[in-house]
Amino acid sequence: MMDITLRIIGILAALGAPLAARAAEPRVWPAPTPPAIAGSSGYVEIPGAAVTRDPKRSYKALFSAATGAPDPARPLPAFGRVALQLNGLIAAKVPASHISFAMILYGAAADAVLSDAEYRKKYNIDNPNKVIFNALRQAGVRMMVCGQWAAGRNIARDQLLPGIEVAEAATLVQITYANDGYAVLYN
């Protein structure tokens, strides 16, 4: 019995040794670049990355967001995803003329573009998404909300953040942008 117990301990120790050594390895990545988009995170340059940003390429993406923020007091994570990609392209000196980003919000994510008054009615706080929303717009991201979502909830245009466009339907936006050669990225 003692022999089996010692053997099991030896096997477990052998299996655990690489894990312990791996945990002891420093995991140091470069510091993020300062973010170009207000209210977002900087972009981390990954040494030796398999795919890298290229200032000669064009980047066309539609970010499709349906998932709401886990905490309504914090900005919608999907906004951070768009901003992170923009920050990375800007840091790589990709010309603005080579970047074409759009975003469509629907479902629970669409709450992120409610006016302060409407957001307050629902969550008892001002909309925390305004800073990053406006920064994304100023960076050239076309920001849209699903008209079917708004109509289904009887939300008027003046109950939304200034600058948001009301699209006919999120699905129509996804189809149109895909047909126009955009990568459609879902959150």
Side-chain angles (χ1 to χ4, degrees):
M1 182 70 167
M2 178 82 131
D3 187 40
I4 293 173
T5 304
L6 288 175
R7 225 184 262 169
I8 291 172
I9 291 172
I11 291 170
L12 291 175
L15 290 173
L19 295 175
R22 197 143 182 76
E25 290 176 14
R27 295 209 45 168
V28 180
W29 293 95
T33 58
I37 307 300
S40 70
S41 302
Y43 195 85
V44 177
E45 305 284 338
I46 305 298
V51 176
T52 61
R53 298 150 296 145
D54 180 354
K56 295 179 197 116
R57 280 190 93 95
S58 289
Y59 296 88
K60 294 169 48 172
L62 170 69
F63 294 83
S64 184
T67 304
D71 178 358
R74 301 187 52 84
L76 183 70
F79 286 153
R81 183 175 183 208
V82 178
L84 180 65
Q85 292 312 306
L86 272 174
N87 287 333
L89 295 174
I90 291 166
K93 304 210 181 337
V94 173
S97 61
H98 290 199
I99 303 169
S100 183
F101 282 2
M103 186 171 199
I104 181 69
L105 295 107
Y106 56 100
D111 282 356
V113 294
L114 290 171
S115 68
D116 274 338
E118 292 305 308
Y119 206 86
R120 236 180 275 113
K121 284 180 191 174
K122 190 164 186 173
Y123 299 110
N124 297 317
I125 56 172
D126 284 347
N127 188 336
N129 295 286
K130 292 179 299 195
V131 170
I132 195 165
F133 170 82
N134 287 323
L136 289 170
R137 282 190 51 246
Q138 289 172 358
V141 178
R142 185 175 187 191
M143 305 295 284
M144 296 172 279
V145 68
C146 177
Q148 300 306 304
W149 169 86
R153 284 150 192 80
N154 202 29
I155 302 220
R157 290 174 192 263
D158 65 354
Q159 294 173 300
L160 301 169
L161 290 176
I164 188 75
E165 295 180 66
V166 179
E168 194 170 314
T171 305
L172 182 61
V173 170
Q174 294 161 346
I175 293 167
T176 301
Y177 274 76
N179 288 344
D180 289 345
Y182 281 70
V184 179
L185 307 171
Y186 298 89
N187 72 331

